[in-house]
Amino acid sequence: QPAAEGEGKPAPSKPAAGTPGQPAAPAPLLPVDTIKALNLEANFKLGKLVAAGMTMTKAEMELSAKNGLLDMNRLAASLYQGNAWIGVSIDVRPKQPLWKYKGGLVGVQLKPLLQDTSEDLDLIEGRFEFTGELTATGNEQTSLMKSLRGAAIFKLENGMLREMNVEKMVCQAIALVNQKSLSKPFGPDTKLQTISGQLQFGDAYINNTAFTAGLENTAVKGEGKVGLLDDSVDYRMGIRVIGELEEVDPACEVNPRYKDIYWPFRCEGKLDDEPSKLCGIDRERMDEIVRKMAEEEVKGRASDAINKAIGDGLNRLFGR
């Protein structure tokens, strides 16, 4: 007797996720249908809360959900010796969920925070403040990073930058222009008095504008950006001598005529690059500095030999 239709035949298999040439779709971050079905009002007090790798203590939270709108009206908690206050709403009624964030950090110790949340950014420490308002759309990480928009301000006090000595970089540049060699050792790190700036989020980048920093003998200003998807870094900075660097090393004595010059540096690469190799003199902008220095020397009736010495020093600097 002939087999009935379909008998003896293997059942059709479902297409495998992530078949060659067709990568699997990213897993959604939110269970949209579950959130749409929620109807609740709740207040929580938690002794300990871990979110996105951050450990919060003494947390108090107000949460509501109705008609597809999940609203964490307030989260207040102690965070790494400081305090956090956060408000988040997620609206899953549109085709793509809409996220809104408003919050801040005050007096938070940055090093342990970064150690818990990032593998690449644990080289900075200090007392951190942050305030911002952000929005994003989507239900997977890449779309959130691409759509993230908003602004924030930050400040870091009593900090330390590990594995990069900014004053040593400046001294090396000045010493070469002076045709001298550094004779005293420098520590591996940079002590930071204050860093502050404004952040603008957009197009998968964090743009850092109005960036300023105070160090013991130098002042820093600049701007730059960090890629949220590729971990790229591109910062241009000007570093001006405000102290007596010759007390740090005689080779980096600054001619009084150059006291107002911002020595140009650039940090370019990836977040996980070695800090000491990430930053160096910005050769493109250094050409402008050379012209300004030459003009100042001419005003001081400098000889051609002095201008030649400056050029020779810069050739040695860029020839390293």
Side-chain angles (χ1 to χ4, degrees), residues 170-215:
V170 177
C171 272
Q172 285 175 325
I174 297 172
L176 285 168
V177 171
N178 289 339
Q179 291 193 308
K180 296 180 180 179
S181 298
L182 299 180
S183 59
K184 294 186 178 181
F186 286 78
D189 308 323
T190 299
K191 185 177 180 181
L192 308 170
Q193 294 176 339
T194 303
I195 294 180
S196 63
Q198 300 173 2
L199 303 175
Q200 193 70 40
F201 294 76
D203 301 321
Y205 283 95
I206 304 175
N207 290 283
N208 182 192
T209 60
F211 170 81
T212 61
L215 285 67

Side-chain angles (χ1 to χ4, degrees), residues 76-315:
S78 296
L79 180 70
Y80 302 102
Q81 302 179 39
N83 296 295
W85 56 275
I86 298 169
V88 176
S89 71
I90 305 172
D91 189 348
V92 299
R93 292 170 295 185
K95 184 176 181 180
Q96 293 294 330
L98 172 62
W99 305 62
K100 293 183 180 180
Y101 161 90
K102 181 178 181 179
L105 309 174
V106 178
V108 172
Q109 290 298 324
L110 188 60
K111 184 177 180 179
L113 171 63
L114 293 177
Q115 287 176 331
D116 284 354
T117 58
S118 172
E119 296 179 358
D120 304 324
L121 289 175
D122 61 349
L123 297 174
I124 305 176
E125 60 184 71
R127 193 163 62 88
F128 187 61
E129 297 183 7
F130 174 92
T131 305
E133 293 189 39
L134 307 172
T135 63
T137 57
N139 200 18
E140 49 90 16
Q141 186 173 3
T142 300
S143 62
L144 288 178
M145 294 299 98
K146 288 181 177 179
S147 64
L148 190 63
R149 296 286 187 276
I153 57 174
F154 72 92
K155 180 186 290 186
L156 179 71
E157 295 180 318
N158 300 322
M160 186 77 72
L161 176 62
R162 300 293 183 187
E163 299 184 26
M164 183 167 66
N165 191 311
V166 174
E167 288 190 348
K168 181 180 180 180
M169 291 194 304
V170 177
C171 272
Q172 285 175 325
I174 297 172
L176 285 168
V177 171
N178 289 339
Q179 291 193 308
K180 296 180 180 179
S181 298
L182 299 180
S183 59
K184 294 186 178 181
F186 286 78
D189 308 323
T190 299
K191 185 177 180 181
L192 308 170
Q193 294 176 339
T194 303
I195 294 180
S196 63
Q198 300 173 2
L199 303 175
Q200 193 70 40
F201 294 76
D203 301 321
Y205 283 95
I206 304 175
N207 290 283
N208 182 192
T209 60
F211 170 81
T212 61
L215 285 67
E216 186 174 357
N217 289 298
T218 56
V220 183
K221 67 177 183 179
E223 60 183 8
K225 62 182 180 179
V226 175
L228 293 173
L229 296 178
D230 59 6
D231 290 336
S232 61
V233 178
D234 189 2
Y235 268 80
R236 291 181 181 268
M237 298 178 293
I239 304 179
R240 183 170 66 89
V241 178
I242 58 175
E244 303 299 329
L245 277 181
E246 59 267 29
E247 295 180 2
V248 179
D249 193 298
C252 47
E253 179 180 3
V254 180
N255 186 315
R257 295 192 186 97
Y258 309 151
K259 282 288 188 179
D260 293 331
I261 288 178
Y262 277 89
W263 299 82
F265 288 82
R266 188 174 188 177
C267 297
E268 188 176 21
K270 298 287 185 178
L271 285 174
D272 58 358
D273 289 345
E274 188 176 326
S276 60
K277 296 180 180 179
L278 187 66
C279 302
I281 286 191
D282 187 341
R283 182 169 185 172
E284 180 182 337
R285 292 172 59 202
M286 192 65 183
D287 291 340
E288 301 174 12
I289 299 299
V290 173
R291 286 194 295 270
K292 183 174 180 179
M293 292 167 67
E295 290 172 1
E296 292 297 323
E297 290 295 349
V298 168
K299 291 178 183 178
R301 297 196 297 272
S303 66
D304 291 340
I306 293 178
N307 292 328
K308 182 178 183 301
I310 294 172
D312 290 344
L314 290 169
N315 287 333

